[in-house]
Amino acid sequence: MKLQPRARVQGDWVRKALQWVNLRPEEGDRTLLMFAFYTATSVGWLWFEYSAVALFLDKYGAERLPLIYIVGALMVSGLGVLYSWLSSLLPMRSVLVAIALLTSLPLLLFRLALGLDYFDGLIALATVFLIRLWTDAVEVLNDLNSQVAANQLFNIREIKRTYPIISSGLLVADVIAGFSLPFLLRFVGLIDVLVLACFSMLVGAGTLFYLGQRYRQAFPDSPSRQWEDDESEFAVRNTTGSLRRYIIPLFAFFILAEALYLLVEFQYLSQLEDKLPETSDIAGFLGLFSGIVGLFELTSQWFISSRAIAKLGVFVAAMMLPSALVILGLLMLTGSIDLLIGLVGQVIPLPELITGLFVGLILLRFIDELLRYTLIAGIEPVLFQPIPEKMRNAVQTTVQGIAEPITTGITGIGILATIWVTQHIFPAMQQLQSQVFIFAIVLFSAIWLLSGWLMRSSYVSLLVQSAEQGRLGFSDVDLRAFKRAVVEALEQPGTEADKRSCIQLLYQIEPLTVGEVLSPLLPRLSTALQRQSLEAMLEYPNPAYLDDVQVLVDQRPAPEVLALALRYVWLTQPELDIRTIKHYMNPNVEPTVRATAAALILRRGTPAERAEATNTLRRMLTSKREQERVMSTRALGEAEYLQALRLYIPNLLQDESLRVRRALLEVIAATHLEEYYPSLMKGLYYKSTREAARAALVRLKDEAISLLVALAEDVHKPELVRLQAWMALGEIGTQDALHQLVQQLMTSWGTTRRNILRVLLKMPNEVGIEGVLDQLGRSGIEMLIEQELLFSGQIYAASLDLRGDKIAGEEAELLRRALHDLQTDLLERCFLLMKFLYPISAIQAAAFNLNSESRSNVALGLEILDNTVDIPQKQAFLSILDRRTLEEKMACLEEWVPYQPMSPSDRLRRLIEFRHFLPDWPLACCFHVARTAHYSLTPEATLVCLRHPTGFVREAVLAYLREASPRACIELLPVLKNDSDRLVADQVQRMLDELGQAG
């Protein structure tokens, strides 16, 4: 008994810890194991790399590093092909473990080879070269393994939270490996560090093996195939001009980033070789330097980089590294660092190795690694965001999988050529070789900076296009760039629709500061755009933009714009002279402006002024002109005190004008007239007022939730009206509304569950998806999918036992068709549920192909699901979709729904036991079949279904009772004489007449 509280406290502590790192409970174990795998493997790789670099500098010197760059570029490209080939031959789980072993076990062979003749043998020379080359292979394959394993274990939404934690394993490994290496060199020795590195990497491989076994459902048993569209056909020449202008500097950005990394590394290692002659000293320095940099990287990654990117913007952050390299390089070229070292040396004695060049290159390396693995790594996904989704993966693969390795090879050739020129053609320049490379670093950094600036200007125009086409993700937008994009789009010539979409998207992304962008542009916009801008600004009025709006008022714009502008001025100024708007109440003024002025005076005028405004609105509300009544009704929503005008609301609700009635629904919500809330609910029943009523209820926010839930839960209400209630809850979008939707999702079934799922999926910014995952978790959604599959088993069993060879007749055929349609509905709900766990596009593509008549398309759909889905019931679900016979489908579900053949009568009774899950039509068909086949049903089920909310179900039960139990039917008919369904009441009356005649 004492263990329970302790377990509960421990569970609460774990949950709070996971929340602190932005993880959900079901993600904790997987994330921790992936972090352990990546950290252990990275520690081994870093030990291996530091040792390999030290050995290479000892045997070959830094001038041979370009050979590594050239050969390594070819090797990296080949490793990508090898990985893809293995993936097509073996299951992914086996590929991951095989690659992990492939990277680690050769280290033992290297250690044995070095032990043979390290000091004076050709084998040692070849081995050291291979060791240095193999460090690049380990890095590439380790990154591939971690990314592939993470993509298999986590869906697209989970990976946004988990991968930053997993990837920080490399930074943790930097610290561990860096600070531990000097001790290992002292107690173990440089060569034997390879054995420890191998052991650490094998620990990572073992962790990966355990992951694959524990989460088998996440890894397909069959080799992966390319089911995606062939995106490699994408070519820059087929893109639009603005996209081409973005992609070219994008390629340049990553190419120059890679080239500069190699140039800085080459110069850095050259200085270490020159200043530290002992191999173990080089390895120890590399370890300590990496440990220190790792601490800074870890701190920056967790606490600084994301905030810096958000505050500075994507492109300012992207330009920080090239700017820093340019500045530091110029300081080195001008001798400023030498001068500073000299000044310090006069105060404090410095070792001989401390020179301006040595210190400058250490600073270059430090800044390069710190900013590259924090800021640059953080913005990489954002830089690809403006590219259309269909092209994005192809472009990213081309940049990172082809362009960067080629750049590595070309940079190696360039370094070799520079060394050869300085040594053979211009031997006098050999002393200036380092200066040449530093000048190259400055030059390429300046070009890198320019490519970022060019990319920034193209990024702006692409964001505008993305906004127009509705494919821009809010979470990955550089807000500053997007605001500039909106300004440029609104100022330059363009279609009205394009500019309207920009304003709408800006409001969705940043509603609080929309006035900052739109207010200066108001005088230059068209009337429609002025109106849209003011409506957006009125949601969050800000006095800071008052002057711009006043300029618009002075220009005397169109009446509807003037009315909005006057309202903005009055809402943002605490003290105003009523005389400034009183003249707008003149009968000659347009109704829109006149009504707005009267409503504003009602809000803030003196009693006498309010009386005058009330009379103005009274005359307009009772006017024979529809425009007067519509405008005055709308103006009521802006008044805080309706006072005597409330008397006109009942008549306005019955007004002959539909526009007046719709406007009044908005007023009821705006002024929170609770006594008229039933009118809002009533408006959902009529097609003409349905949209206005729903918009008014949405405006009430949480105040309307209880009303909407009560309507949506009432099974006696029309399905279309209940759907409007669910849709209104989704559009309200608050935490309480979302909580109600998720709770109803757990207890609902059939059409209601399908409607709720659609509403949740349509909520903007994936709020509904995240809300469901927060409240139910992955396990809760998997449970809902399992419920659907369990009921599918019951439907398949019924279809088997009610086949045409076992029961004939028109009614039985109708039941079989209804059961077939029910199977389709169940699968549709399964697909909707899967959209909460997996990429929506992948699930939609699978569903589309599975609905095809083509066998190849069906196979493609199944392959998409096989490579996307990892639910425990995955194999059973795929088998059901594979167009197999009913017997085979039942066999696939045997684990969850054991099949026992039944007689048609028993199966029919079993179906009616599941009446709470059956839709109306299949349930009615069950009673029609029981009537024609003369099957007996339980009295309890019959009486319960006689109270079913759907009329044709009650009608079917009555028809059954008349045949099966006439006496019971006679007793029940008087009770049903006044049934709410006219058809049922008519049927009851006919049966009473027939029985009366028979009597």
Side-chain angles (χ1 to χ4, degrees):
M1 294 297 290
K2 292 182 180 180
L3 294 176
Q4 262 185 332
R6 183 182 299 177
R8 185 161 54 249
V9 170
Q10 184 178 4
D12 292 340
W13 180 86
V14 172
R15 191 177 298 107
K16 289 179 180 178
L18 291 173
Q19 289 176 353
W20 185 74
V21 293
N22 194 28
L23 289 180
R24 295 195 173 100
E26 64 269 15
E27 299 164 355
D29 290 346
R30 287 174 289 161
T31 306
L32 180 61
L33 287 170
M34 276 297 299
F35 176 82
F37 150 70
Y38 197 44
T39 303
T41 308
S42 297
V43 167
W45 167 64
L46 290 170
W47 281 339
F48 178 44
E49 183 188 38
Y50 303 149
S51 304
V53 169
L55 291 169
F56 186 87
L57 293 178
D58 178 53
K59 289 295 182 182
Y60 290 92
E63 66 273 8
R64 297 291 185 269
L65 275 175
L67 290 174
I68 294 292
Y69 300 154
I70 297 169
V71 179
L74 299 173
M75 181 189 66
V76 167
S77 300
L79 289 174
V81 175
L82 172 66
Y83 202 100
S84 300
W85 178 69
L86 285 175
S87 300
S88 64
L89 291 179
L90 302 172
M92 185 54 66
R93 184 170 55 253
S94 302
V95 172
L96 294 172
V97 177
I99 291 295
L101 294 175
L102 176 66
T103 56
S104 56
L105 292 179
L107 272 62
L108 296 178
L109 299 178
F110 293 146
R111 171 62 185 86
L112 292 174
L114 290 175
L116 294 176
D117 55 352
Y118 175 68
F119 293 100
D120 57 353
L122 292 176
I123 295 178
L125 282 173
T127 302
V128 169
F129 189 86
L130 289 175
I131 286 174
R132 177 60 186 85
L133 201 59
W134 195 246
T135 59
D136 292 341
V138 173
E139 180 183 13
V140 171
L141 294 175
N142 184 30
D143 286 344
L144 271 174
N145 253 12
S146 64
Q147 292 174 18
V148 170
N151 281 320
Q152 293 294 138
L153 284 167
F154 304 100
N155 62 49
I156 192 170
R157 296 175 189 88
E158 293 172 336
I159 208 167
K160 290 179 181 179
R161 292 185 298 272
T162 59
Y163 199 71
I165 297 172
I166 296 169
S167 62
S168 64
L170 177 60
L171 305 182
V172 174
D174 261 333
V175 177
I176 296 173
F179 287 116
S180 62
L181 187 60
F183 297 99
L184 294 178
L185 293 173
R186 175 173 297 182
F187 296 106
V188 178
L190 178 63
I191 298 178
D192 289 328
V193 169
L194 298 181
V195 179
L196 296 177
C198 177
F199 175 76
S200 181
M201 292 168 68
L202 286 175
V203 170
T207 307
L208 193 58
F209 175 77
Y210 175 73
L211 266 168
Q213 296 300 315
R214 181 170 176 178
Y215 301 100
R216 295 183 67 90
Q217 72 274 10
F219 300 91
D221 290 327
S222 58
S224 63
R225 297 177 179 85
Q226 297 298 323
W227 52 265
E228 299 91 346
D229 293 333
D230 187 7
E231 294 175 334
S232 61
E233 295 179 1
F234 162 80
V236 174
R237 65 176 180 273
N238 293 327
T239 64
T240 62
S242 58
L243 184 58
R244 190 182 304 114
R245 287 193 298 272
Y246 182 76
I247 288 178
I248 291 173
L250 179 70
F251 269 74
F253 185 87
F254 284 98
I255 286 171
L256 289 165
E258 183 68 17
L260 281 164
Y261 175 80
L262 297 174
L263 285 172
V264 171
E265 180 189 57
F266 173 73
Q267 280 297 289
Y268 169 70
L269 294 178
S270 297
Q271 281 298 302
L272 289 187
E273 179 195 14
D274 184 49
K275 301 296 182 181
L276 303 173
E278 293 295 330
T279 307
S280 59
D281 291 340
I282 294 175
F285 184 89
L286 287 171
L288 282 175
F289 180 80
S290 177
I292 294 169
V293 174
L295 281 176
F296 280 91
E297 288 175 346
L298 201 59
T299 304
S300 177
Q301 176 83 354
W302 286 355
F303 304 107
I304 300 174
S305 61
S306 60
R307 294 179 176 86
I309 293 171
K311 188 173 183 62
L312 300 174
V314 170
F315 289 98
V316 174
M319 295 178 188
M320 285 183 67
L321 177 55
S323 300
L325 294 179
V326 168
I327 294 171
L328 194 54
L330 289 175
L331 290 175
M332 294 174 67
L333 288 174
T334 56
S336 299
I337 296 182
D338 286 302
L339 179 61
L340 182 62
I341 295 295
L343 292 174
V344 174
Q346 294 178 2
V347 180
I348 304 172
L350 297 175
E352 292 184 3
L353 61 86
I354 302 297
T355 63
L357 181 61
F358 182 68
V359 172
L361 284 170
I362 289 178
L363 289 174
L364 273 177
R365 180 69 169 180
F366 178 84
I367 292 173
D368 183 69
E369 286 209 5
L370 177 61
L371 298 183
R372 183 181 297 272
Y373 293 114
T374 53
L375 289 181
I376 299 297
I379 65 172
E380 277 188 13
V382 184
L383 296 179
F384 292 97
Q385 189 65 28
I387 301 173
E389 189 174 356
K390 292 182 178 179
M391 302 178 182
R392 190 180 304 147
N393 290 338
V395 172
Q396 194 165 359
T397 302
T398 303
V399 169
Q400 297 176 339
I402 299 176
E404 288 184 356
I406 291 175
T407 301
T408 302
I410 293 175
T411 304
I413 294 173
I415 294 173
L416 279 179
T418 303
I419 293 173
W420 187 84
V421 168
T422 56
Q423 289 180 348
H424 296 86
I425 299 180
F426 301 105
M429 292 178 57
Q430 188 170 354
Q431 301 299 324
L432 301 176
Q433 186 183 104
S434 295
Q435 300 297 317
V436 172
F437 281 114
I438 293 171
F439 176 78
I441 290 172
V442 172
L443 177 63
F444 286 131
S445 297
I447 300 173
W448 190 15
L449 191 64
L450 177 63
S451 70
W453 183 84
L454 293 173
M455 193 163 51
R456 173 182 182 174
S457 60
S458 301
Y459 183 88
V460 165
S461 59
L462 273 181
L463 285 174
V464 175
Q465 292 183 15
S466 299
E468 294 166 359
Q469 298 169 15
R471 58 172 175 79
L472 188 63
F474 297 166
S475 60
D476 294 318
V477 170
D478 181 1
L479 191 56
R480 294 188 177 191
F482 182 70
K483 287 182 177 179
R484 287 190 297 272
V486 172
V487 172
E488 292 182 14
L490 295 177
E491 288 182 335
Q492 295 173 358
T495 64
E496 193 89 350
D498 294 343
K499 295 181 178 182
R500 189 165 55 248
S501 66
C502 284
I503 295 174
Q504 182 179 2
L505 190 65
L506 177 64
Y507 174 73
Q508 292 175 354
I509 296 176
E510 191 69 9
L512 293 175
T513 61
V514 68
E516 176 187 345
V517 177
L518 297 178
S519 59
L521 302 174
L522 284 174
R524 302 191 295 275
L525 298 178
S526 66
T527 298
L529 295 178
Q530 286 175 339
R531 179 176 179 177
Q532 182 187 7
S533 300
L534 284 169
E535 287 174 346
M537 292 169 61
L538 278 166
E539 292 293 327
Y540 299 96
N542 191 330
Y545 317 128
L546 182 59
D547 292 341
D548 294 318
V549 179
Q550 188 63 56
V551 170
L552 183 65
V553 172
D554 295 339
Q555 291 180 352
R556 296 301 178 98
E560 61 271 21
V561 175
L562 179 58
L564 291 170
L566 288 174
R567 185 181 174 206
Y568 191 92
V569 170
W570 270 63
L571 288 176
T572 53
Q573 281 197 354
E575 298 292 338
L576 265 181
D577 188 356
I578 295 294
R579 289 174 295 180
T580 60
I581 64 168
K582 191 173 182 180
H583 64 280
Y584 288 117
M585 291 198 301
N586 191 298
N588 296 326
V589 176
E590 285 287 333
T592 305
V593 180
R594 193 187 337 149
T596 301
L600 292 175
I601 293 175
L602 269 182
R603 179 186 291 243
R604 296 171 60 180
T606 64
E609 290 165 343
R610 289 178 182 175
E612 185 178 355
T614 300
N615 288 330
T616 300
L617 286 175
R618 182 184 291 114
R619 287 192 297 269
M620 294 181 70
L621 290 171
T622 56
S623 172
K624 293 183 178 181
R625 295 176 56 193
E626 182 191 32
Q627 182 71 4
E628 296 259 342
R629 299 198 308 277
V630 171
M631 292 299 105
S632 57
T633 302
R634 288 179 180 172
L636 293 178
E638 301 173 7
E640 290 183 354
Y641 307 102
L642 294 182
Q643 301 170 347
L645 297 176
R646 285 174 177 261
L647 299 173
Y648 295 92
I649 291 179
N651 292 333
L652 292 172
L653 284 171
Q654 304 298 324
D655 195 282
E656 61 183 12
S657 170
L658 178 61
R659 294 173 62 200
V660 172
R661 298 198 302 272
R662 287 175 176 171
L664 188 59
L665 295 178
E666 297 178 11
V667 171
I668 292 171
T671 55
H672 299 273
L673 297 175
E674 296 184 14
E675 64 267 33
Y676 292 105
Y677 285 177
S679 298
L680 297 181
M681 305 303 294
K682 189 176 181 181
L684 296 175
Y685 287 80
Y686 303 103
K687 183 178 180 181
S688 58
T689 57
R690 187 169 291 143
E691 292 295 328
R694 194 173 78 231
L697 288 164
V698 170
R699 186 170 182 174
L700 289 175
K701 294 293 183 181
D702 289 352
E703 196 175 352
I705 290 178
S706 59
L707 298 171
L708 291 169
V709 171
L711 175 61
E713 288 181 332
D714 192 345
V715 294
H716 294 88
K717 300 297 182 183
E719 192 63 45
L720 181 58
V721 177
R722 296 176 64 200
L723 174 59
Q724 297 299 315
W726 295 126
M727 291 171 63
L729 285 169
E731 291 171 11
I732 288 173
T734 62
Q735 287 298 319
D736 288 343
L738 184 58
H739 177 73
Q740 288 293 336
L741 285 169
V742 177
Q743 292 303 309
Q744 294 294 328
L745 178 64
M746 291 293 292
T747 57
S748 62
W749 190 260
T751 304
T752 300
R753 176 176 285 184
R754 182 195 63 192
N755 292 338
I756 295 174
L757 288 171
R758 288 177 175 173
V759 166
L760 288 166
L761 288 169
K762 286 181 180 178
M763 293 179 73
N765 300 333
E766 297 187 348
V767 171
I769 295 174
E770 293 299 326
V772 171
L773 290 172
D774 285 336
Q775 295 188 45
L776 303 184
R778 181 187 179 92
S779 58
I781 297 175
E782 289 178 350
M783 183 190 71
L784 295 178
I785 295 174
E786 184 178 4
Q787 287 178 358
E788 302 288 351
L789 292 177
L790 289 174
F791 191 54
S792 295
Q794 298 295 335
I795 301 305
Y796 292 137
S799 300
L800 282 173
D801 292 337
L802 297 173
R803 282 179 166 177
D805 57 345
K806 296 183 178 180
I807 179 171
E810 183 179 354
E811 289 79 3
E813 183 60 30
L814 288 173
L815 177 57
R816 283 190 286 270
R817 291 179 188 173
L819 293 176
H820 181 270
D821 293 340
L822 182 53
Q823 296 168 22
T824 305
D825 294 341
L826 286 163
L827 293 177
E828 181 190 2
R829 291 198 294 273
C830 286
F831 280 114
L832 289 173
L833 286 165
M834 288 179 186
K835 290 180 180 180
F836 288 84
L837 297 176
Y838 310 105
I840 292 178
S841 58
I843 300 301
Q844 286 177 335
F848 176 80
N849 282 281
L850 288 166
N851 286 330
S852 172
E853 295 297 325
S854 167
R855 293 181 62 86
S856 60
N857 286 350
V858 173
L860 180 60
L862 291 171
E863 190 65 24
I864 293 173
L865 286 179
D866 190 24
N867 286 274
T868 304
V869 175
D870 59 355
I871 58 175
Q873 307 85 9
K874 170 181 170 179
Q875 293 306 319
F877 185 65
L878 293 178
S879 301
I880 290 172
L881 295 170
D882 199 14
R883 297 192 177 181
R884 302 187 180 189
T885 63
L886 286 174
E887 290 85 353
E888 291 173 330
K889 291 180 178 181
M890 270 315 312
C892 296
L893 292 171
E894 185 70 25
E895 180 180 349
W896 294 279
V897 188
Y899 172 61
Q900 295 180 349
M902 297 182 182
S903 64
S905 59
D906 289 339
R907 181 57 68 181
L908 199 66
R909 284 189 285 270
R910 185 65 178 272
L911 265 182
I912 294 177
E913 288 177 6
F914 288 101
R915 57 187 174 274
H916 299 293
F917 305 102
L918 280 176
D920 303 341
W921 178 240
L923 183 59
C925 289
C926 288
F927 282 96
H928 285 304
V929 170
R931 172 177 57 82
T932 57
H934 303 291
Y935 294 153
S936 62
L937 303 177
T938 61
E940 179 188 0
T942 305
L943 291 175
V944 169
C945 292
L946 198 57
R947 296 190 295 271
H948 197 278
T950 305
F952 61 76
V953 175
R954 300 196 298 274
E955 188 180 1
V957 176
L958 279 174
Y960 166 77
L961 281 175
R962 180 177 179 180
E963 296 291 334
S965 181
R967 181 178 301 175
C969 185
I970 292 172
E971 295 175 357
L972 291 170
L973 285 177
V975 180
L976 299 171
K977 188 175 181 180
N978 297 319
D979 192 275
S980 58
D981 190 299
R982 184 175 55 83
L983 294 176
V984 177
D986 290 345
Q987 181 191 19
V988 171
Q989 188 59 49
R990 286 197 306 273
M991 294 173 69
L992 285 171
D993 293 342
E994 292 172 2
L995 291 171
Q997 293 175 4

